[in-house]
Amino acid sequence: MREKWWFPVVYMFVMTAFFSSIVIGFSQFTSDRVEANEDLAFEKAILTVLPDMLGAGDSRLELHRKFTELVGQPDANSGGACTLSREGRIVAYALPISGQGFWAPIKGVIGIKADRRTITGIAFYEQNETPGLGAQITKIGFTSQFQGKVISSTGKPLNIKRPSDVLGKSDVHAVTGATQTSTRLEKIINDALKNWLSEFSQANGEGRTQ
């Protein structure tokens, strides 16, 4: 019997619909877990940049408890930053930062002391820069440079300089061989800091602390 001309079309349609349903169903099944992992990565980055908040053996549950009970979500009164307080006094802020890297978005958090000038640390929870080059921004050799740096009151708040340059109190060295990632990261950080300082002042009706 001669096969009907429409049979291959119908067959392909049915098979495509069947496998698409499986993929969509799997995606919906895992979406909650994916979202939970993303939230946890964000919370861990927040705790990483705040003083004495991240323990080496902290479980996922403990990380979430610390974030929920001691920090919480970004606050409009703090210019969009998370706030860590102890005994009724602000200890530090954790400012989310994000922007376009060389290959894909970079998302992270920068910690700032209550003086709104001194950096306590930086951490990243999403990036897809080149392994061994731009991706080195997540390594301790790069991130540790930010501790104790001071947000400049003139020009760029922070500078990412060439590896051979002499550093000042508002400077860190770029990742060797990752000029494009370093340049884009500098912009991400400085845009976030400038906006935060402005929004904080507006939210609290005050000028910037020098």
Side-chain angles (χ1 to χ4, degrees), residues 146-164:
F146 286 81
Q147 293 179 342
K149 290 298 177 178
V150 177
I151 299 172
S152 176
S153 57
T154 59
K156 296 178 182 178
L158 292 176
N159 295 288
I160 298 182
K161 293 190 170 184
R162 294 178 301 179
S164 60

Side-chain angles (χ1 to χ4, degrees), residues 64-206:
H64 182 64
R65 184 196 67 78
K66 284 184 177 180
F67 178 81
T68 303
E69 296 181 5
L70 304 176
V71 184
Q73 295 295 330
D75 188 340
N77 291 329
S78 297
C82 298
T83 304
L84 173 64
S85 298
R86 292 193 178 109
E87 298 179 354
R89 298 184 63 182
I90 293 175
V91 175
Y93 303 96
L95 176 68
I97 60 174
S98 64
Q100 183 61 38
F102 185 42
W103 294 111
I106 294 174
K107 296 181 181 180
V109 181
I110 189 164
I112 306 133
K113 286 185 178 180
D115 63 6
R116 284 177 276 155
R117 295 194 67 202
T118 309
I119 304 297
T120 60
I122 194 169
F124 300 95
Y125 61 94
E126 182 180 320
Q127 62 83 28
N128 284 290
E129 299 301 284
T130 306
L133 292 173
Q136 293 295 108
I137 61 172
T138 64
K139 304 301 182 182
I140 190 68
F142 178 74
T143 60
S144 62
Q145 298 182 87
F146 286 81
Q147 293 179 342
K149 290 298 177 178
V150 177
I151 299 172
S152 176
S153 57
T154 59
K156 296 178 182 178
L158 292 176
N159 295 288
I160 298 182
K161 293 190 170 184
R162 294 178 301 179
S164 60
D165 287 351
V166 175
L167 299 180
K169 62 181 181 180
S170 302
D171 309 327
V172 299
H173 279 142
V175 174
T176 302
T179 302
Q180 293 298 325
T181 296
S182 299
T183 299
R184 285 165 171 76
L185 179 58
E186 183 185 67
K187 184 178 187 304
I188 291 170
I189 291 172
N190 286 329
D191 285 350
L193 287 173
K194 287 178 181 178
N195 290 336
W196 175 64
L197 290 167
S198 176
E199 291 175 10
F200 189 102
S201 295
Q202 291 177 11
N204 293 274
E206 60 183 46

